[in-house]
Amino acid sequence: MTSITTHTASFDILFTSDLHGAIRPIHYNTNTYRPAGLALLGSLIRKERERSPELLLVDNGDLLQGSPLASYAASQVSNNEGHPFITVLNELGYDAAVMGNHEFNYGQDLLRKAVEVSNFPWLSANIVYGEQAERSELGAGSDLPPGTGIPAFGPPYLIKTLSSGVKIALLGATTHYIPNWEHPKNIEGLQFIDALETIRAWVNYIHEHEQPDVMVVSYHGGFENDLETGEPTERLTGENQGYAICRDIEGIDVLLTGHQHRQLIATIHGVTVIQPGFSGNGAGHVTVKLEQSSGGKWQITDKKARLLLLDEHSEIEPDATVMKLTDELETEAQAWLDQPIGEVDGDLSITNATALRLKAHPFIAFVHQVQMEATGAQLSNTAMLSEEARGFGSHITVRDVLSNFIYPNTLTVLELSGQDIREALEQTARYFEVNASGEVAVNPAYMEPKPQHYNYDMWAGLEYELDISQPVGSRVVKLEREGKPMGMNGTYSVVMNSYRAAGGGDYAMYPGKKVLHEGATDMAALVEDYIRRHQPLTVEQANNWQVVGS
């Protein structure tokens, strides 16, 4: 009796997502050590590669923006070739990267320079050139799946064949909601087509033309539904489609996700899904095991996902090569960050983020001053963009500005009616609820599936009161301008950041309104310029609004 030999194989996927410029293990606000960043993850990557030489290594997007180091690096790219962060990914041997929404924040020139010097492809099947009618002009584009287009930054997918003969397909896609946030000049000439439908078309195409043994999708987007119940957890705008991708598309084995900054592992309709957090606090790891049938076809026998979190690997030291590659950049960035730009006469510090959102605060009043002077708008709204923001001490440096203004948003002025403003305040009032103890607290909907504190706005140029004990939609109990009730039919110029003006944060009353001004300078640069021109910086004691609970 002859025995039958069964051939088996396995491989590992390792991926990062939402690094947001976190390369070195440092908290730039305080210059203290932080157990996060790609230098530390790089040490884990090298260990995993020793154990699994045929590792598939992927970055899932939002690499180039989000830290003071990223801001400095972006300012230098125009003077140098490429991007210093790409040097690190090249060194670590990444197989592919996917476009994130924040990749576009500094414009396409910087992004394309980063792509050009990458030793790996940037995959994003649904970010395409121009109108789909142009595909015939681009040769091979005529063979693309119906309903898709020519990917604008490289191939839509990657095929990697292992020494065992196992064939892996990796398809990349990005949340198509980017035009709702990004400044039009940064995405000129591009179309962002529906990620769900694009993934469906390309998965079918890849199975037909490539016949892979394993189908992996790396999607810079998250989950719109509860992973266990399937119930919606947010308004279904199309920003996040992870659940629908697993539920509605056949032929996907592994879905790598990001964008929401969550740490999660699950199986949805047979698809192994994983998301590794943000700012380099961890990486995602998936092991796939296969068995070869007598006919030579490989079949998946097991898939196991796990999170490699740096707070669970305290013994890990930063990768020496990654540190050396960024030493010069770090030295230059630190000198830049420590540049003094002004002094404060008064107190612009933030000690309690929750208290800041309950009544008018001097730091927020300062932000309004900057926005209104820059644009001449009658009214202003703004949000506290980071829970780590600490305002300003008596001496202000570039570091202080970038620590408080972490996104490169520009300013937009809209013409709004009094009714629009009331609706916007009602939307912002949803941020709060009255808890079981009768106290005003943050609505859990703004904490899960990810914190959204940045979607709570505070206003200047009017007087208002929000009573959270009232039903949602009826919480604006006072709305006045210059001591008189605001007319609902009157029109006003209102300045806000570009993300909010596009409707970001479910502010549906803004899109489509008349645009009176669109700025080209990001907020951090406006703040720095304002401080330099107003020395010493004086503090406005605002008292124009408050939140109450009964």
Side-chain angles (χ1 to χ4, degrees):
M1 183 176 179
T2 58
S3 61
I4 299 175
T5 302
T6 301
H7 296 285
T8 61
S10 69
F11 71 94
D12 296 306
I13 305 165
L14 192 61
F15 85 109
T16 49
S17 189
D18 299 273
L19 286 168
H20 285 290
I23 307 298
R24 299 169 70 97
I26 185 171
H27 192 299
Y28 284 95
N29 289 22
T30 57
N31 259 355
T32 54
Y33 177 83
R34 183 173 67 130
L38 192 52
L40 288 168
L41 290 177
S43 295
L44 284 179
I45 289 168
R46 292 196 197 277
K47 284 190 173 185
E48 290 298 321
R49 198 182 292 283
E50 289 177 5
R51 190 180 62 80
S52 179
E54 294 184 302
L55 187 76
L56 177 65
L57 181 59
V58 183
D59 184 74
N60 191 52
D62 280 4
L63 164 71
L64 302 178
Q65 179 276 338
S67 72
L69 187 67
S71 297
Y72 180 76
S75 72
Q76 299 302 299
V77 166
S78 60
N79 301 322
N80 301 286
E81 293 185 2
H83 193 292
F85 293 178
I86 302 302
T87 305
V88 173
L89 269 65
N90 287 341
E91 164 63 25
L92 293 173
Y94 273 75
D95 290 289
V98 173
M99 291 289 166
N101 52 294
H102 284 288
E103 253 66 75
F104 295 91
N105 287 169
Y106 297 116
Q108 289 188 57
D109 286 346
L110 179 145
L111 179 52
R112 291 191 182 278
K113 286 180 181 178
V115 171
E116 286 171 9
V117 297
S118 299
N119 294 341
F120 48 85
W122 287 74
L123 313 175
S124 194
N126 66 312
I127 302 178
V128 302
Y129 281 117
E131 297 295 329
Q132 293 183 24
E134 296 175 359
R135 69 169 61 198
S136 60
E137 300 173 11
L138 297 173
S142 59
D143 298 327
L144 296 176
T148 63
I150 303 293
F153 293 94
Y157 66 91
L158 167 75
I159 296 293
K160 183 169 185 174
T161 303
L162 307 181
S163 58
S164 61
V166 170
K167 191 174 184 180
I168 308 163
L170 174 69
L171 172 67
T174 305
T175 174
H176 60 262
Y177 214 60
I178 291 174
N180 292 280
W181 308 313
E182 192 56 70
H183 196 288
K185 68 180 177 62
N186 290 343
I187 54 175
E188 188 175 0
L190 302 177
Q191 281 186 299
F192 297 79
I193 56 179
D194 187 274
L196 174 68
E197 296 307 321
T198 303
I199 292 171
R200 188 198 311 275
W202 276 108
V203 166
N204 291 338
Y205 178 95
I206 292 168
H207 276 295
E208 179 182 353
H209 291 81
E210 303 284 1
Q211 299 180 348
D213 300 302
V214 183
M215 183 74 239
V216 181
V217 174
S218 186
Y219 167 54
H220 189 83
F223 295 92
E224 72 283 30
N225 291 17
D226 184 273
L227 302 187
E228 294 184 3
T229 67
E231 292 298 314
T233 55
E234 62 184 33
R235 189 164 63 92
L236 300 181
T237 62
E239 175 182 351
N240 298 298
Q241 298 175 298
Y243 195 91
I245 290 168
C246 297
R247 181 191 62 205
D248 299 344
I249 301 176
E250 294 185 5
I252 299 174
D253 300 304
V254 178
L255 179 65
L256 313 177
T257 66
H259 184 55
Q260 291 176 315
H261 297 186
R262 301 165 68 182
Q263 293 178 344
L264 59 85
I265 293 171
T267 299
I268 303 173
H269 293 274
V271 181
T272 298
V273 301
I274 184 170
Q275 191 171 141
F278 69 104
S279 293
N281 57 11
H285 184 282
V286 181
T287 299
V288 181
K289 296 182 178 180
L290 304 97
E291 185 175 291
Q292 194 173 33
S293 66
S294 57
K297 179 67 176 175
W298 288 99
Q299 301 288 338
I300 295 174
T301 57
D302 188 45
K303 296 178 292 181
K304 185 171 294 183
R306 63 191 178 106
L307 295 173
L308 304 179
L309 303 179
L310 286 176
D311 60 8
E312 297 174 1
H313 290 80
S314 57
E315 79 285 358
I316 292 293
E317 295 291 329
D319 183 83
T321 304
V322 172
M323 295 296 281
K324 185 176 180 180
L325 285 172
T326 55
D327 274 344
E328 183 177 353
L329 179 71
E330 175 72 11
T331 299
E332 294 175 357
Q334 288 289 351
W336 175 64
L337 290 169
D338 285 335
Q339 291 178 75
I341 59 174
E343 297 184 354
V344 177
D345 181 10
D347 185 5
L348 283 177
S349 63
I350 299 171
T351 57
N352 187 308
T354 301
L356 176 144
R357 295 187 177 99
L358 292 174
K359 63 179 180 180
H361 186 281
F363 181 80
I364 297 300
F366 159 74
V367 178
H368 290 309
Q369 288 175 221
V370 175
Q371 294 190 165
M372 295 170 87
E373 181 184 280
T375 63
Q378 296 170 288
L379 310 177
S380 170
N381 70 50
T382 190
M384 182 179 173
L385 300 178
S386 169
E387 294 305 280
E388 296 182 350
R390 292 295 173 262
F392 297 145
S394 57
H395 302 280
I396 307 175
T397 64
V398 172
R399 184 190 310 276
D400 297 322
V401 172
L402 292 176
S403 296
N404 286 280
F405 301 90
I406 60 175
Y407 301 113
N409 290 324
T410 54
L411 295 180
T412 300
V413 179
L414 300 180
E415 183 177 87
L416 301 178
S417 69
Q419 183 62 35
D420 293 328
I421 293 166
R422 176 177 285 277
E423 291 175 6
L425 286 168
E426 290 290 359
Q427 173 62 33
T428 216
R430 291 173 179 265
Y431 174 80
F432 289 117
E433 68 172 14
V434 176
N435 63 22
S437 301
E439 300 171 333
V440 173
V442 177
N443 182 343
Y446 284 78
M447 298 298 295
E448 298 292 341
K450 72 171 184 177
Q452 299 179 53
H453 304 293
Y454 53 82
N455 283 330
Y456 175 80
D457 285 341
M458 296 156 281
W459 287 66
L462 47 77
E463 302 85 47
Y464 65 95
E465 184 174 296
L466 306 178
D467 186 348
I468 308 306
S469 68
Q470 299 301 311
V472 170
S474 301
R475 291 175 167 178
V476 180
V477 295
K478 174 184 176 182
L479 180 55
E480 298 179 352
R481 175 164 166 76
E482 298 175 345
K484 298 178 181 179
M486 176 170 278
M488 294 297 95
N489 295 323
T491 57
Y492 307 86
S493 57
V494 183
V495 59
M496 62 194 74
N497 70 47
S498 50
Y499 169 78
R500 186 70 79 240
D506 288 341
Y507 285 80
M509 67 293 302
Y510 294 151
K513 293 300 189 295
K514 183 177 180 180
V515 177
L516 302 178
H517 169 82
E518 279 189 300
T521 306
D522 70 68
M523 190 59 184
L526 291 174
V527 168
E528 180 178 341
D529 176 68
Y530 184 94
I531 294 169
R532 291 183 185 278
R533 291 187 293 101
H534 295 80
Q535 281 300 298
L537 190 63
T538 56
V539 178
E540 178 181 320
Q541 297 300 323
N543 189 32
N544 64 306
W545 65 270
Q546 66 175 340
V547 174
V548 298
S550 60

